[in-house]
């Protein structure tokens, strides 16, 4: 692997529709923000001839022209697809954002891909979030390779970075993470730094010089052989350890020279199985150069070592009624099963859906069934509708290139699917099916918004609906208690992008307002009140008097109304009026404007007038009685308490527990889990964890995750309640 001088030019370039699954490779690029993923994609596109030496596509623009927001923020915020072709193989490169707020885009990329390239900066190392994604890939057996970038940095050390990667990703078998090439450095410059100008192939014992911008092959010098042989022997042992030929290790240790072709075949099988993880080096091409350092080697690894879609287990499929359905793996002639992995809006063609086809063949102008994905709790309606597919295309920067079809194993963009959302399943209209959805992170940062003007108010609901249709990691909430529109996001950067898209893409200007939690009120002790509503202003008057008793009930009891009137002091027809007035006042609150709950209100006595008493009068009297009872009683302000579970590395457990305690939280216990992590369980007032998604990321350097769920309402401490009352 990696020993050919060049792929023949006719086999490289811009990818079109694939004709068989075996000629497709779907690869997702993973790495922290700033590791160089997008730059690497551009370098691969240049090497394959998909762009020219200026980095531009034939019909204008560059491969990285994706979104105006990305240009303004100077970072990737969404999944992007760049299809290229090398050695007769179509490679779908899925570039993912590295920032934690856009992990939903990363998960979509993992769903659409069959293998992953982990891009690691030689200057920055491996961060905790990248390790967590590696573990996710390991859990499903996804094949992986590592690409070390930023070799031009002054403190870059490829050998040290390889050791760090083996330690971070190798687990119990660091010899499964080994380099296939060693960087070849040129003469030192005035700053004492020797630039990387080429690579040394460990299996082939060849030098590949990129210093001229073209890959040239040569033989190593005698002074380079000792270092090469040491690394080569370790690589061979690592490959043989993963070989299916159990005699190979004994033969090698016995002194037999193993054929390079045999080693390459075993290496390719081990990479495809996800048991060996090669480390490569890459750097973008210099000005006027045609090939970036290491790009040819990387393309050869992808085309020869990464699995085809035929080797991937398809996600579970069922009928819309929930019955399991068995499908032949990646069969272009099978029933249509495709999944929308990303949804975006184009100002000219409308909604565009990026689709991965798992079975069958998708064609333009076909009518397909669109099955919803069961995310009703996030503001998405379930749906089962038939829609006509518009044009199929392959994206490249901002360009869309027409495709005649999209077979099982390939990806394509579909236009004009008006109801399809991210995560939906496309299938034949006469054989509707539903794919098991992939796991999405819970959005835990609330963003309360309101329309900036009346014109914005008219467009707000439609803009928000389109926003959550594109991004299932957002949740839209219309809170009936606080009467706020709340957009739940993954972090501040995520919410910033949401607001920017509302403004620039959907023309909706909104104002961010403080997020309110759903507070309630209750009586701390029994009390009594008398409501007297008597008015006479000429003509028909108003007369109603009622006496009530209020007593607290256990949490969760709600409002209980009891009638104990004797002797007809309150006529029977007006007792429901008293109850209606009491409940209306309870809904408005009695002290700070929050709903009153968990009390029993007993109507004891009252007075009526044969002419002036009415339904409205007794409603008013009931409300007055409840207010009077509250004026003479101690009222508790109830706050919602959440059950919080934090999964955090052992190094940060103490800091997390201390932080939770500082938020008036009660730590219930800890539980040791795999991967040197601890699950911390606690109960914390919701008013204290509004920004916990942001604060926990900072506290744990992005390595912790948490889940929250409503537990109950309980009395707020007096000093906190007083502060809240002053703010209302």
């Amino acid at each position: 692997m990696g020993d050919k001088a060049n792929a023949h030019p006719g086999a490289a370039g811009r990818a079109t529709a694939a004709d068989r699954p075996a000629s497709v490779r779907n690869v997702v690029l993973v790495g922290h923000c700033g590791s160089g993923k997008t730059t690497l994609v551009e370098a691969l596109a240049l090497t394959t001839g998909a762009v020219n030496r200026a980095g531009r596509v034939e019909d204008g623009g560059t491969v990285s022209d994706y979104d105006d927001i990305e240009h303004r923020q100077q970072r990737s915020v969404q999944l992007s697809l760049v299809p290229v072709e090398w050695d007769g193989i179509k490679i779908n490169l899925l570039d993912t954002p590295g920032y934690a707020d856009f992990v939903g885009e990363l998960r979509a990329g993992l769903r659409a891909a069959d293998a992953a390239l982990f891009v690691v900066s030689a200057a920055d190392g491996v961060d905790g979030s990248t390790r967590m994604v590696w573990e996710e890939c390991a859990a499903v057996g996804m094949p992986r390779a590592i690409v070390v970038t930023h070799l031009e940095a002054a403190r870059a050390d490829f050998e040290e970075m390889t050791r760090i990667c083996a330690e971070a990703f190798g687990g119990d078998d660091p010899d499964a993470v080994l380099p296939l090439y060693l960087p070849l450095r040129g003469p030192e410059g005035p700053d004492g730094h020797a630039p990387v100008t080429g690579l040394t192939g460990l299996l082939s014992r060849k030098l590949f010089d990129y210093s001229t911008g073209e890959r040239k092959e040569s033989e190593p010098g005698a002074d380079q052989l000792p270092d090469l042989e040491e690394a080569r022997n370790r690589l061979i042992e690592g490959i043989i350890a993963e070989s299916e030929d159990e005699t190979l290790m004994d033969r090698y240790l016995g002194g037999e020279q193993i054929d390079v072709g045999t080693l390459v075949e075993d290496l390719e099988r081990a990479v495809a199985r996800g048991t060996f993880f090669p480390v490569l080096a890459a750097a973008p091409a210099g000005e006027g150069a045609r090939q970036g350092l290491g790009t040819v080697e990387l393309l050869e690894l992808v085309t020869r070592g990464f699995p085809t879609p035929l080797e991937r287990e398809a996600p579970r499929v069922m009928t819309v009624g929930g019955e399991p359905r068995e499908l032949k793996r990646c069969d272009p002639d099978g029933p249509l099963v495709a999944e929308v992995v990303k949804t975006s809006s184009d100002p000219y063609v409308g909604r565009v859906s990026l689709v991965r086809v798992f079975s069958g063949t998708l064609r333009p102008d076909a009518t397909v069934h669109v099955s919803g994905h069961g995310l009703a709790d996030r503001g998405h309606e379930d749906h089962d509708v038939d829609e006509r597919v518009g044009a199929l295309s392959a994206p490249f920067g901002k360009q869309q290139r027409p495709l005649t079809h999209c077979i099982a194993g390939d990806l394509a963009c579909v236009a004009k699917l008006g109801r399809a959302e991210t995560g939906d399943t496309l299938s034949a209209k006469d054989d509707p099916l539903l794919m098991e959805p992939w796991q999405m992170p819970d959005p835990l940062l609330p963003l309360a918004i309101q329309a900036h003007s009346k014109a914005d108010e008219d467009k707000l609901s439609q803009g928000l609906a389109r926003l959550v249709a594109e991004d299932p990691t957002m949740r839209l909430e219309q809170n009936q208690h606080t009467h706020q529109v709340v957009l739940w996001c993954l972090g501040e950067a995520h919410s910033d992008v949401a607001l920017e898209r509302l403004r620039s893409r959907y023309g909706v200007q909104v104002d961010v307002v403080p997020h309110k939690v759903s507070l309630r009120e209750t009586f701390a002790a029994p009390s009594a009140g008398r409501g007297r509503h008597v008015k006479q202003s000429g003509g028909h008057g108003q007369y109603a008097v009622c006496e009530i008793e209020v007593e607290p009930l256990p949490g969760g009891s709600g409002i209980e109304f009891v009638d104990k009137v004797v002797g007809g002091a309150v006529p029977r027809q007006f007792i429901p009026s008293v109850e209606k007035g009491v409940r209306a006042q309870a809904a408005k609150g009695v002290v700070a404007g929050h709903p009153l709950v968990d009390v029993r209100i007993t109507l004891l006595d009252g007075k009526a007038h044969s002419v002036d008493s009415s339904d409205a009068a007794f409603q008013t009297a009931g409300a007055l009685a409840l207010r009077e009872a509250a004026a003479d009683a101690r009222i508790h302000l109830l706050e919602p308490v959440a059950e919080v579970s934090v999964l955090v590395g052992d190094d940060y457990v103490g800091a997390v527990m201390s932080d939770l305690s500082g938020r008036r939280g009660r730590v219930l216990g800890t539980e040791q889990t795999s991967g040197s992590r601890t699950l911390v369980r606690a109960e914390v007032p919701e008013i204290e964890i509004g920004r916990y998604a942001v604060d926990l990321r900072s506290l744990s350097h992005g390595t912790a995750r948490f889940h929250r769920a409503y537990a109950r309402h309980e009395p707020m401490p007096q000093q906190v309640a007083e502060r809240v009352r002053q703010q209302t």
Side-chain angles (χ1 to χ4, degrees):
M1 185 185 298
D3 297 330
K4 295 188 293 182
N6 274 300
H8 27 114
R14 187 174 62 187
T16 56
D19 292 321
R20 55 192 180 93
S23 64
V24 178
R25 304 291 185 273
N26 297 309
V27 183
V28 61
L29 282 81
V30 178
H32 64 79
C33 193
S35 61
K37 299 182 298 297
T38 301
T39 302
L40 179 59
V41 169
E42 293 172 347
L44 293 171
L46 175 61
T47 297
T48 60
V51 296
N52 60 30
R53 296 192 184 196
R56 305 190 71 81
V57 297
E58 293 174 9
D59 39 4
T62 67
V63 68
S64 57
D65 283 338
Y66 301 125
D67 195 307
D68 292 337
I69 296 176
E70 292 182 323
H71 285 290
R72 284 192 288 272
Q73 297 203 2
Q74 293 296 301
R75 64 181 170 198
S76 298
V77 301
Q78 62 182 357
L79 175 71
S80 58
L81 169 64
V82 177
V84 298
E85 189 169 338
W86 184 258
D87 204 15
I89 301 295
K90 180 180 182 181
I91 305 171
N92 289 314
L93 297 171
L94 293 151
D95 185 14
T96 64
Y99 199 66
D101 280 16
F102 308 108
V103 67
E105 302 286 325
L106 168 63
R107 296 278 175 84
L110 292 172
R111 176 73 160 203
D114 304 312
L117 281 176
F118 278 73
V119 183
V120 177
S121 169
D124 300 325
V126 180
D127 69 339
S129 59
T130 304
R131 297 180 192 224
M132 293 170 69
V133 178
W134 181 276
E135 291 172 6
E136 285 187 29
C137 293
V140 297
M142 176 174 279
R144 285 145 282 159
I146 301 152
V147 184
V148 179
T149 59
H150 295 165
L151 295 171
E152 72 282 0
R155 61 182 185 277
D157 187 331
F158 179 81
E159 290 74 16
E160 175 63 14
M161 185 50 59
T162 300
R163 185 194 65 77
I164 292 173
C165 289
E167 183 180 281
F169 302 140
D172 297 331
D173 186 13
D175 285 338
V177 181
L178 293 170
L180 299 185
Y181 304 87
L182 295 180
L184 180 65
R185 294 193 177 272
E188 290 187 0
D191 58 355
H193 179 65
V196 177
T197 59
L199 298 170
T200 304
L202 294 181
L203 292 182
S204 64
R205 294 192 179 98
K206 300 288 186 182
L207 300 186
F208 303 103
D209 185 7
Y210 283 86
S211 60
T212 63
E214 301 283 344
R215 185 176 186 258
K216 296 181 179 179
E217 181 181 326
S218 62
E219 298 293 330
D223 58 328
Q224 297 169 315
L225 290 175
D227 290 341
L228 186 155
E229 289 303 316
E230 181 181 349
R232 185 177 191 272
N233 290 338
R234 189 178 177 198
L235 173 62
I236 291 174
E237 290 177 9
I239 295 172
I240 291 175
E242 303 297 334
S243 175
E244 296 176 352
D245 185 350
E246 298 179 357
T247 68
L248 204 59
M249 181 63 79
D250 291 336
R251 288 157 50 196
Y252 175 72
L253 295 176
E256 180 179 335
Q257 291 294 321
I258 307 300
D259 179 64
V260 171
T262 300
L263 292 172
V264 169
E265 290 176 2
D266 281 340
L267 170 62
E268 292 171 353
R269 279 193 291 266
V271 170
R273 289 199 312 268
T275 59
F276 188 84
F277 315 105
V279 182
L280 297 92
E287 185 176 351
R290 192 177 72 84
Q291 295 175 334
L293 184 141
T295 53
V296 172
E297 289 75 16
L298 188 52
L299 289 164
E300 290 179 354
L301 171 70
V302 169
T303 55
R304 300 174 59 185
F306 278 175
T308 72
L310 293 165
E311 299 171 68
R312 174 181 177 173
E313 286 285 347
R316 286 200 309 154
V317 177
M318 63 197 79
T319 65
V320 292
E323 295 293 324
R325 179 74 176 271
E326 291 293 330
L327 292 178
K328 186 178 178 181
R329 187 184 300 186
C330 201
D331 181 8
D333 298 320
L336 177 65
V337 178
E339 186 171 40
V340 179
V341 296
K342 175 180 171 56
T343 309
S344 59
S345 295
D346 186 280
Y348 302 106
V349 299
R351 185 173 294 184
V352 178
S353 304
L354 177 60
V355 171
R356 161 80 190 249
V357 181
F358 288 91
S359 174
T361 300
L362 186 64
R363 301 184 187 280
D365 299 324
T367 299
V368 299
H369 185 80
V370 181
S371 299
H373 40 55
L375 290 176
D377 61 329
R378 296 194 177 181
H380 303 255
E381 293 183 3
D382 285 345
H383 45 267
D384 287 289
V385 297
D386 290 341
E387 287 200 82
R388 187 174 181 178
V389 172
L392 298 185
S393 60
F396 206 86
K398 289 185 176 180
Q399 307 298 323
Q400 296 286 340
R401 292 163 174 163
L403 295 177
T404 57
H405 62 278
C406 183
I407 64 167
D410 203 358
L411 290 99
C413 286
V414 182
K416 298 182 179 179
L417 288 177
R419 291 292 305 277
E421 300 181 0
T422 302
D424 283 1
T425 303
L426 308 184
S427 55
K429 67 176 183 177
D430 55 352
D431 187 16
L433 299 171
L434 183 64
M435 294 183 66
E436 183 180 43
W438 73 82
Q439 184 181 7
M440 281 291 184
D442 291 326
L444 296 168
L445 181 69
L447 182 72
I449 57 176
Q450 63 185 23
H452 182 71
S453 66
K454 182 63 172 68
D456 294 311
E457 189 174 334
D458 296 337
K459 297 183 290 184
L460 180 59
S461 60
Q462 185 180 27
L464 289 173
R466 290 179 176 177
L467 203 62
V468 297
E470 294 179 12
D471 188 351
T473 62
M474 287 183 182
R475 176 163 60 90
L476 181 62
E477 176 191 10
Q478 305 271 356
N479 194 299
Q480 59 180 345
H481 300 296
T482 63
H483 308 292
Q484 284 189 319
V485 176
V486 183
L487 196 62
W488 289 83
C489 305
L490 295 176
E492 289 182 313
H494 196 205
S495 62
D496 288 346
V497 168
L499 294 176
E500 176 70 8
R501 283 184 175 153
L502 277 176
R503 183 190 63 79
S504 62
R505 187 176 291 177
Y506 304 118
V508 183
Q509 189 76 33
V510 298
D511 297 323
V512 178
V513 296
H515 176 247
K516 301 176 183 177
V517 300
S518 179
L519 300 178
R520 298 172 186 171
E521 302 170 358
T522 194
F523 280 65
S527 183
R530 184 173 189 266
R532 184 176 184 274
H533 182 60
V534 179
K535 285 189 176 181
Q536 187 68 49
S537 57
H540 192 68
Q542 299 181 49
Y543 188 94
V545 178
C546 62
E547 296 180 7
I548 65 170
E549 182 181 74
V550 184
E551 54 187 318
L553 293 177
S557 300
I559 300 289
E560 183 180 326
F561 183 83
V562 179
D563 169 25
K564 285 190 177 180
V565 175
V566 294
V570 178
R572 304 306 304 170
Q573 70 268 27
F574 293 133
I575 289 175
S577 303
V578 176
E579 179 178 0
K580 188 174 181 180
V582 164
R583 290 187 179 276
Q585 184 62 53
K588 296 176 184 177
V590 293
V591 174
H594 304 293
L596 179 71
V597 296
D598 302 335
V599 292
R600 179 185 292 119
I601 302 170
T602 305
L603 178 60
L604 300 174
D605 200 359
K607 293 181 181 179
H609 189 276
S610 59
V611 175
D612 293 342
S613 290
S614 65
D615 169 66
F618 270 100
Q619 284 190 44
T620 303
L624 290 171
L626 184 58
R627 290 208 296 267
E628 182 177 291
D632 297 332
R634 185 159 58 93
I635 304 298
H636 275 158
L637 202 57
L638 302 179
E639 63 179 339
V641 176
E643 293 180 356
V644 176
S645 300
V646 185
L647 185 63
V648 60
D650 292 345
D651 293 342
Y652 302 105
V653 170
V656 166
M657 292 176 66
S658 175
D659 179 72
L660 290 172
S661 298
R663 298 172 186 269
R664 298 191 286 121
R666 296 184 295 273
V667 176
L668 304 178
T670 60
E671 179 183 333
Q672 195 69 34
T673 64
S674 60
S676 299
R677 290 195 180 95
T678 299
L679 183 68
V680 180
R681 292 180 294 106
E683 291 182 344
V684 191
E686 287 190 9
I687 202 169
E688 302 287 349
I689 55 173
R691 288 181 51 82
Y692 193 57
V694 177
D695 298 337
L696 178 63
R697 185 178 299 163
S698 174
L699 188 66
S700 66
H701 297 274
T703 61
R705 299 173 182 171
F706 84 103
H707 174 75
R708 59 186 281 181
Y710 170 77
R712 63 188 174 278
H713 274 70
E714 64 179 34
M716 183 181 285
Q718 190 64 31
Q719 66 274 18
V720 181
E722 286 298 328
R723 188 168 66 245
V724 170
R725 288 192 182 103
Q726 292 172 6
Q727 293 172 353
T728 56

